[in-house]
Amino acid sequence: MENINILIIEDDVEVSSELKSTLEKNGYTVSGIAENYQKALTLFYKLPVDLVIIDIFLGENPEGIIFAETISTVPNALKPFIFLTSSKDRQIFERAKLTKPFRFLLKPFNELEVLYAIEMAIEKFYEQTNVFASTNQDTVVTKDYLFIKKRSALKKVLLSSIIYIEVDNRYCSIITELEKFVIQISLAKILKYINTAVFQQIHRKYIVNINSIEQIVTADNLLLLKNNHKITFSAKYKDLINNFSILK
């Protein structure tokens, strides 16, 4: 499990420091802070970044917009971004709007507005790649990650780190290598959005990451998984289990 990594682009040290403190207090990771366009580009391509908060004006120039325009034109480089500004210039707003930010926030920023903006940006950005947001909007599933709401922050969970999933009616317990999450999603829906070549149902209650299997005890219908987890598979799925080619 990882925190969501946020890059701050802000030339006012006091504002960037306050924003960094706010984000970290709420469970996010600030991967870097840039005071100008060039440093922002360097950090953006060098560091892990899931979302960017951008001040429109860096010094006297709208370099924040230039940065957004730049990353928007590079294939596969775009990340969700939020503009933070004190500018009330309509022309600047119209130019910034063309870069398709996920939110505009006015200085001085409000903590709750920042947290809501981050959640909305993550959800809307990854929805563009055909993902599922759960019924109560606390989970987003992408090709490689789950973004799960935990307290006041979204947590990024690598799908490859999931050992198994236990289903109970409309809820799923997701057991990872580091911790457990409970989300509201049905078995049918979660099977629709995960890679069923890797995550296979082996019981009416269990979906297992086949790469986490350490041993198969067919006589007891038992799977021994990473981190000493044990789950049973039902007779219905015994043929499927016997066909696994990943014994370790």
Side-chain angles (χ1 to χ4, degrees):
M1 186 274 295
E2 304 174 46
N3 289 338
I4 290 179
N5 298 294
I6 299 177
L7 174 63
I8 297 173
I9 303 175
E10 170 62 66
D11 63 337
D12 186 318
V13 175
E14 186 176 334
V15 173
S16 63
S17 177
E18 184 182 357
L19 185 55
K20 179 176 185 291
S21 176
T22 297
L23 295 174
E24 291 179 341
K25 179 182 72 174
N26 286 283
Y28 293 103
T29 296
V30 175
S31 55
I33 299 175
E35 304 83 27
N36 56 61
Y37 168 78
Q38 197 56 56
K39 184 176 180 181
L41 274 186
T42 299
L43 296 183
F44 181 76
Y45 290 112
K46 179 181 179 182
L47 301 173
V49 176
D50 299 302
L51 179 140
V52 191
I53 298 178
I54 310 171
D55 185 4
I56 287 180
F57 276 91
L58 303 176
E60 297 182 357
N61 300 310
E63 290 188 352
I65 297 177
I66 298 171
F67 172 85
E69 291 170 340
T70 301
I71 66 171
S72 297
T73 59
V74 179
N76 302 319
L78 184 62
K79 297 292 182 181
F81 59 90
I82 298 163
F83 279 129
L84 178 64
T85 183
S86 57
S87 173
K88 297 180 182 178
D89 187 311
R90 184 69 192 187
Q91 287 185 320
I92 289 294
F93 170 75
E94 292 295 339
R95 180 180 169 187
K97 191 167 67 170
L98 292 174
T99 65
K100 298 184 178 179
F102 285 84
R103 196 72 175 266
F104 284 89
L105 297 176
L106 292 175
K107 295 180 183 177
F109 67 84
N110 174 280
E111 178 176 328
L112 194 57
E113 287 181 351
V114 169
L115 298 179
Y116 284 163
I118 290 170
E119 288 188 39
M120 292 298 294
I122 291 291
E123 289 178 8
K124 288 182 178 296
F125 178 79
Y126 288 101
E127 279 173 5
Q128 294 177 2
T129 56
N130 189 29
V131 302
F132 172 76
S134 69
T135 306
N136 57 354
Q137 298 296 303
D138 64 359
T139 310
V140 177
V141 184
T142 75
K143 180 173 174 286
D144 299 308
Y145 299 105
L146 293 175
F147 292 96
I148 300 175
K149 182 72 177 294
K150 192 161 187 180
R151 293 185 291 274
S152 58
L154 289 170
K155 298 292 183 180
K156 183 173 71 173
V157 181
L158 272 169
L159 287 175
S160 60
S161 74
I162 296 173
I163 297 175
Y164 71 96
I165 301 169
E166 183 175 359
V167 183
D168 184 10
N169 292 322
R170 293 181 297 115
Y171 291 88
C172 287
S173 295
I174 297 175
I175 313 302
T176 74
E177 294 171 3
L178 296 178
E179 59 186 305
K180 173 182 175 180
F181 299 90
V182 179
I183 63 173
Q184 185 177 337
I185 181 174
S186 68
L187 172 64
K189 282 190 175 179
I190 201 163
L191 284 172
K192 180 180 177 182
Y193 289 98
I194 59 177
N195 182 357
T196 52
V198 176
F199 290 92
Q200 296 200 6
Q201 184 177 3
I202 49 85
H203 187 280
R204 65 181 179 82
K205 290 182 59 176
Y206 297 119
I207 299 168
V208 68
N209 178 347
I210 62 173
N211 294 313
S212 72
I213 299 174
E214 299 287 350
Q215 238 181 8
I216 301 173
V217 185
T218 53
D220 298 326
N221 284 14
L222 185 66
L223 297 182
L224 307 182
L225 309 177
K226 284 182 181 177
N227 294 6
N228 297 316
H229 290 288
K230 299 177 183 179
I231 61 174
T232 58
F233 59 90
S234 63
K236 177 181 177 181
Y237 297 96
K238 197 159 189 174
D239 288 342
L240 175 65
I241 296 296
N242 289 334
N243 289 330
F244 282 165
S245 58
I246 57 159
L247 289 174
K248 297 180 181 180

